[in-house]
Amino acid sequence: MHALLILDMQVGLFHGPEKPWAGEALLDTLNGLLLKARRAGAPIFLARHVGPPGSPIEPASPLTQLVQELRLEGDEVIFEKSRPNAFAMTDLANRLKACGAEGVVITGMKTQYCVDSTCRAARDLGFDAVLIADGHTCADTSELTAEMIIAHHNTTLAGPFCRVVYAEEWSF
């Protein structure tokens, strides 16, 4: 069984000044994956990236709240992380093992930070890591467009770090 993991779909990242590439399409993809996971009885995990008290992304900050556009039903596991790798300094690996998940389907934001490091860590921890090719995004940088960053990571991570699959082709 594979669990669905949605990274950092937070107000401050998604609705902030640096707009994510293809944001509306990403929301549709994530909501479709949430529906597929529920129908299959797969566990659903959502990570919120938070910083220390007093920072703009302290745990209670409105910037760290999950976007309202995600169709959540309240049975999802929502956890906080403070590192790009969702496994670092969290109990995610233990929770995945406890629910019988042998693999993790990775989605969310931002491609070159949390998505990348979580894909790499999942495989190292013995999970079958699956990256949804059209299930992650970021914003343009001064050097590369978001579309280029996403394409690069889909190519680079495929194989040694994870399987890369399009959402329409994935079944839980």
Side-chain angles (χ1 to χ4, degrees):
M1 173 195 10
H2 285 75
L4 175 60
L5 175 60
I6 300 175
L7 299 170
D8 305 344
M9 288 297 294
Q10 300 171 205
V11 171
L13 292 176
F14 194 82
H15 294 299
E18 295 179 355
K19 298 298 179 206
W21 181 75
E24 294 305 313
L26 176 65
L27 286 170
D28 289 343
T29 297
L30 295 180
N31 283 322
L33 289 166
L34 282 163
L35 184 61
K36 283 184 180 184
R38 280 192 193 94
R39 286 182 177 160
I44 299 168
F45 294 83
L46 293 100
R48 293 176 49 233
H49 193 97
V50 299
S55 74
I57 58 169
E58 67 183 352
S61 169
L63 298 175
T64 67
Q65 301 309 304
L66 297 171
V67 295
Q68 294 296 314
E69 295 90 342
L70 287 176
R71 293 188 199 119
L72 304 180
E73 294 185 359
D75 57 345
E76 307 85 4
V77 176
I78 299 171
F79 68 99
E80 295 177 352
K81 65 181 187 61
S82 60
R83 307 290 307 150
N85 167 5
F87 293 97
M89 299 168 37
T90 71
D91 63 351
L92 178 59
N94 290 334
R95 286 181 181 217
L96 288 169
K97 290 174 186 172
C99 68
E102 296 173 0
V104 60
V105 176
I106 301 165
T107 65
M109 292 182 66
K110 288 185 173 184
T111 299
Q112 70 272 42
Y113 300 113
C114 300
V115 172
D116 177 279
S117 59
T118 300
C119 284
R120 293 170 188 261
R123 178 72 54 91
D124 287 347
L125 292 168
F127 293 101
D128 178 32
V130 177
L131 174 63
I132 300 297
D134 52 340
H136 60 101
T137 195
C138 58
D140 292 344
T141 69
S142 62
E143 299 296 321
L144 297 170
T145 66
E147 190 173 11
M148 293 167 69
I149 294 166
I150 293 163
H152 168 79
H153 280 78
N154 283 345
T155 300
T156 301
L157 293 170
F161 300 107
C162 62
R163 291 189 282 154
V164 178
V165 178
Y166 282 89
E168 69 181 29
E169 299 165 357
W170 179 255
S171 298
F172 284 92

